[in-house]
Amino acid sequence: MSYSVYTVELLGSGPKNHVRLFVETQENEGGQIFHVVGTILQGMIFETRSDMKPESDVLFVPGSQKYIGQIAQSAMGQWGDLCRSIPPPAAQMNLNGTRKDPTKPLRRCGEWVEEVKEEALRRGLISQ
């Protein structure tokens, strides 16, 4: 058995929407969310939890759910390990609005999602 994997956006409180990964473990009902939460001021932490269908969330951005591929049910442990192995974005801004390291691009939840997605595809955890 395999599950569908998606990227999903929720309305953000800043200039960008919140991006997360959704694995549909219960067809048409819900699944698992994998994402990082926090800010570029304080840093972020990895979080996973069961959740309803993304479009049921009041903050869901219509049309934002993008299919990535399929993951085998037996690979879900490896998927969780992969998500935990990609470091969440650290604190990157100072209170005065300057960057801690101006030579590095800002890394937010969307960049973390892309890193996880690329590594999962590279390792063959997700098939398209």
Side-chain angles (χ1 to χ4, degrees), residues 35 65 69 108:
H35 64 157
Q65 185 167 320
R108 297 180 170 96

Side-chain angles (χ1 to χ4, degrees), residues 74-116:
S74 60
M76 286 300 291
Q78 293 173 53
W79 171 259
D81 291 344
L82 170 63
C83 289
R84 286 177 191 82
S85 76
I86 305 291
Q92 300 163 74
M93 299 292 288
N94 296 307
L95 284 173
N96 65 4
T98 61
R99 293 167 113 178
K100 291 187 181 236
D101 185 348
T103 65
K104 294 182 181 177
L106 289 178
R107 187 169 168 259
R108 297 180 170 96
C109 57
E111 286 77 18
W112 180 87
V113 162
E114 285 301 312
E115 291 167 13
V116 171

Side-chain angles (χ1 to χ4, degrees), residues 36-58:
V36 290
V37 294
T39 67
I40 57 174
L41 183 63
Q42 297 174 321
M44 300 182 188
I45 60 168
F46 170 72
E47 178 183 275
T48 183
R49 68 175 189 277
S50 295
D51 207 354
M52 59 193 160
K53 295 184 334 183
E55 57 270 21
S56 299
D57 192 311
V58 68

